[in-house]
Amino acid sequence: MGSDWLSQRAREAEAAVPGGFDLSECVREPIHLLGGVQSYGTLLAVAVVSGIVDTAAENSGALLGVAAGDLVGANVLEVLDADDWAEVLDATTGEDGTGAALPVVAGAGPKRRSFDVSAHRREGLVIMEFEPREDSAAFHFSGFYQGIRRALARLRSAGSVEDCCRVAVRQVRELTGYDRVVAYRFDGADGPGEVVAEDVTEGWEPWLGLWFPATDIPPQARRLYEENWIRVIADVDDPTVRLYPRVRAASGTPLDLSGSALRTVSEFHLEYLRNIGVRSSMSVSVLREGRLWGLIACHGGDPVRLAPEVRSACELFGAAFSLQLAAIEERDRADALTRSGGRAAAVAELLGADLETSLVRHAAQVQELMEADAVLLMRGGRLTCAGPSVRRDVADELGLRAAELLTGEVWDTDRLPEMLAKGAAPETTRVPGITGERGTAPESHAAHESAADGPGAAEELGSTGGTGDPDWAGGVPAGALLIPLRPGDYLAWLRDERPLPRKWAADPSVPVRVGPRGERLTPRGSSEVFRSVTRGRSRPWTPQDRAVAGELWRMLTGLVLHHADVLGELNEELRMTNTDLDSFAHAAAHDLKEPLRGISNAATFTLEDAGDSLDDRSVARLRTMERLAGRMDELLNSLLHYARLGRAGLRRRDLPLDEAVDGALEVAGPRLAEERVTVLRPPSLPYVNADPDRLDEILVNLLVNAAKYAADRPDRTVTIDVENVDGPNGAGTEQAVVVRDNGLGIPADRQAEVFDLFRRLHGPGDHGGGSGVGLAVVKRIVERHGGRLWLESEPGVGSAFYFTFGEPAPPSEPA
């Protein structure tokens, strides 16, 4: 874990330290298993069921009158009254594992004295921490309670996050007496922290506005801050008292002190505190939705021992602070909905009917709703982008995020390039944007030079990646906020990079350095401020942005579902209408053939029986009746065939296109040879997924057309090939079969007509005649497959017919 969490710059910096230094040891250190406590108190871990002491601090003899070696394995009643033990058990009972603090008189023989005991349960043990209390230091509840009440009242009156932080640091300093109290907010779960509020004694360095590297508080420390709300270090030079035994027989590890108030401190952290001139400290966790938002950090120039009730008050204050932050955020979210609800509803209405088309038409309003630089829509596998171009892999990555979201959940990031860098290498396919592609490829910068802040000091400009161009680098925006629509579909707002200037309390590129006392962690302080510019980040998304997006999702989902229902009803009506039309066409064609056959036979028999006695005009009219009846029969046969295409099912399978072409040439080959048209094809054609009989019809019709409309030239050719073409709505590429000839060609203004039923651009007898059904049949077959058919043609140059077959429908489940 440690080496993965450290940046490359941190690893390079530790390697440059004289004698070497492994900062990942700090990251990996099991700080909850250090096996010691601060020496001003002592500790006993006692089995809940039996009351037998499992572990004891080695100073128990000095404070409780019984040596640790003698206490372990003995009953806790040797140093604690039965009533007090029962009260400890009762106070620590509960599923939430909440600890308790109570006054007791404990010890053996002459060592009996007053203690404050903090107790909590872990792994079947009650862990009790004894802190001596002098009788002269009696707790005065009334005065203390009034101070806490005033502090909480002032906190509740705070109207913004900034006000809340300022009130918190002032009240905690009044409660504890520390020399410096700061509110420290993390930039993301694993990111650095910024001092956003401060209350400090005169003569101490101001830290307000300074940033501290993420390595100052490694991941395991952040996890402990989420579990244990308060951490107190009475004296950085305190000699640690070890536990006996060092390793528990039951677990094979030291006693877990995650919830301990007296837990000893990592040497790494002690070095850090000494380097900044701090003798005592306290940290109170600030949580938001169960995750660490920040800390209230306290520092003293002298050792400070806080009584348990003061620690409890600070812990209560931290919880109240966290609740107040949540309340402020919820109020801001509600205010944002009130202010933006009308605009969100208007945008939802604009997008309700046809998302893709509406997004392009109303891109400005959709972007303005979130103050975004672009909007991206994924729907049905098709991408629509309003704004700068977006790489396809970026859109796919956002799709994966959307697929993980719960219904109505909003996801956002202000550091999308960083997130993508942790995944696979980017692809090069891009989704075209309405305004075209912008931006250049990102550069990496690691230029950090020490620069003391003062007159004539050089300004250090660092970067985590990016360019001077504020536009997107290589099609990757800096920030994204998205809402899922339906499975696989989402709407996302995207933001440009916004370089952020920062003042660091230490050079973030040099987290390790030999200090004045030989310690190996970087000293911090305003006397050595480092300036940098953070790149690859967008303006952060606010709770208000997320609230508006959630409200838009609710409105938009309702409209989309409504339109989907309406469209479903229309599609069903259209299906029934098409079925009726197919049935009518089939019945009409079939029923008309019988009287038509009678008319034809009557004309033929009349000519045979009485032709010699008829005048030439009558014979000519009878011949015309025969010819027209034949033509009508041909048209009815074509109509019957066209109707059957709409009624018959498809039997799709994967088949080699080479075999299909061979079969079609058995029918169309003689006609091509007669017109001296040469067939060209590559050595090998791929497989296609289609109905074999229907594919044969397509190829035969297109090849016969190439023969019919061959130009008057010696090199008559028709080519059959497969090409990669752009998919519909910019959704990547797909394979299309193309039949290309160098024949007569078709004028641009008449190309759409050639696919109409019974439509010929030439006379009935020209170019071999025909009913004008062939290309209409081709179009119907392609559309039945879910594909596309289109034409590229130029008179005197030739024509190219492209067709695809779309994706095969999934097999239906058995009833």
Side-chain angles (χ1 to χ4, degrees), residues 471-807:
D471 297 335
W472 301 355
V476 182
L481 180 147
L482 65 84
I483 52 176
L485 300 177
R486 285 188 171 185
D489 295 351
Y490 66 84
L491 179 64
W493 288 264
L494 310 173
R495 282 179 177 171
D496 289 339
E497 177 192 66
R498 187 184 71 169
L500 297 173
R502 284 181 174 174
K503 293 193 301 181
W504 294 87
D507 187 346
S509 69
V510 188
V512 183
R513 186 189 303 164
V514 176
R517 296 177 48 165
E519 292 84 358
R520 293 174 295 181
L521 293 178
T522 309
R524 268 73 176 171
S526 62
S527 61
E528 190 174 7
V529 171
F530 294 81
R531 301 182 184 277
S532 71
V533 176
T534 300
R535 307 300 302 269
R537 302 276 293 276
S538 73
R539 184 167 55 83
W541 305 95
T542 65
Q544 294 85 345
D545 292 330
R546 290 186 280 274
V548 173
E551 182 66 10
L552 179 65
W553 171 87
R554 186 185 65 79
M555 298 174 180
L556 193 58
T557 300
L559 288 170
V560 169
L561 292 176
H562 171 71
H563 287 297
D565 292 339
V566 172
L567 184 60
E569 294 175 2
L570 292 175
N571 284 336
E572 180 61 21
E573 292 180 12
L574 183 61
R575 187 188 65 81
M576 295 296 296
T577 301
N578 285 337
T579 300
D580 291 342
L581 286 174
D582 286 341
S583 299
F584 171 77
H586 185 272
H590 184 272
D591 293 345
L592 286 173
K593 286 179 70 68
E594 186 61 30
L596 182 63
R597 189 178 300 111
I599 294 173
S600 177
N601 289 340
T604 300
F605 294 154
T606 299
L607 286 172
E608 291 177 354
D609 295 340
D612 294 339
S613 60
L614 295 174
D615 59 84
D616 291 343
R617 176 172 293 184
S618 297
V619 171
R621 288 173 176 172
L622 289 173
R623 298 288 185 199
T624 299
M625 288 178 62
E626 277 188 317
R627 180 174 54 78
L628 292 177
R631 172 67 174 161
M632 187 67 176
D633 187 63
E634 180 183 333
L635 292 174
L636 288 175
N637 285 335
S638 298
L639 183 60
L640 273 172
H641 179 60
Y642 189 79
R644 290 192 190 104
L645 289 176
R647 297 159 59 90
L650 295 175
R651 298 184 302 278
R652 295 182 68 154
R653 63 180 177 86
D654 290 334
L655 61 129
L657 185 55
D658 279 313
E659 291 185 8
V661 172
D662 292 341
L665 288 175
E666 291 180 4
V667 177
R671 182 67 180 273
L672 290 166
E674 180 181 335
E675 298 295 337
R676 304 187 310 282
V677 177
T678 302
V679 178
L680 304 177
R681 54 196 287 192
S684 177
L685 292 168
Y687 277 68
V688 293
N689 185 276
D691 183 306
D693 294 333
R694 303 287 82 81
L695 176 58
D696 182 72
E697 282 192 73
I698 293 174
L699 293 173
V700 168
N701 273 297
L702 294 179
L703 290 171
V704 168
N705 257 25
K708 282 185 178 182
Y709 301 104
D712 186 13
R713 55 191 300 171
D715 58 335
R716 301 179 177 186
T717 60
V718 60
T719 303
I720 306 160
D721 205 347
V722 173
E723 297 180 5
N724 287 325
V725 297
D726 291 333
N729 298 316
T733 61
E734 61 180 336
Q735 283 193 331
V737 182
V738 57
V739 178
R740 178 182 287 105
D741 63 57
N742 60 355
L744 297 177
I746 304 168
D749 60 344
R750 306 205 62 187
Q751 289 176 9
E753 300 177 30
V754 300
F755 298 112
D756 293 341
L757 189 63
F758 300 135
R759 177 64 60 89
R760 298 189 79 243
L761 304 186
H762 304 277
D766 296 341
H767 300 286
S771 60
V773 175
L775 291 179
V777 166
V778 170
K779 185 173 184 288
R780 192 171 178 90
I781 292 173
V782 169
E783 290 176 348
R784 285 291 314 282
H785 280 76
R788 299 183 296 143
L789 172 68
W790 68 97
L791 164 67
E792 293 179 1
S793 186
E794 183 179 346
V797 176
S799 303
F801 292 87
Y802 293 81
F803 61 91
T804 66
F805 285 126
E807 294 295 327

Side-chain angles (χ1 to χ4, degrees), residues 411-431:
W411 178 87
D412 66 89
T413 179
D414 62 353
R415 57 198 78 184
L416 188 59
E418 178 182 326
M419 185 191 78
L420 292 174
K422 297 177 181 178
E427 301 172 3
T428 56
T429 306
R430 288 179 169 80
V431 180

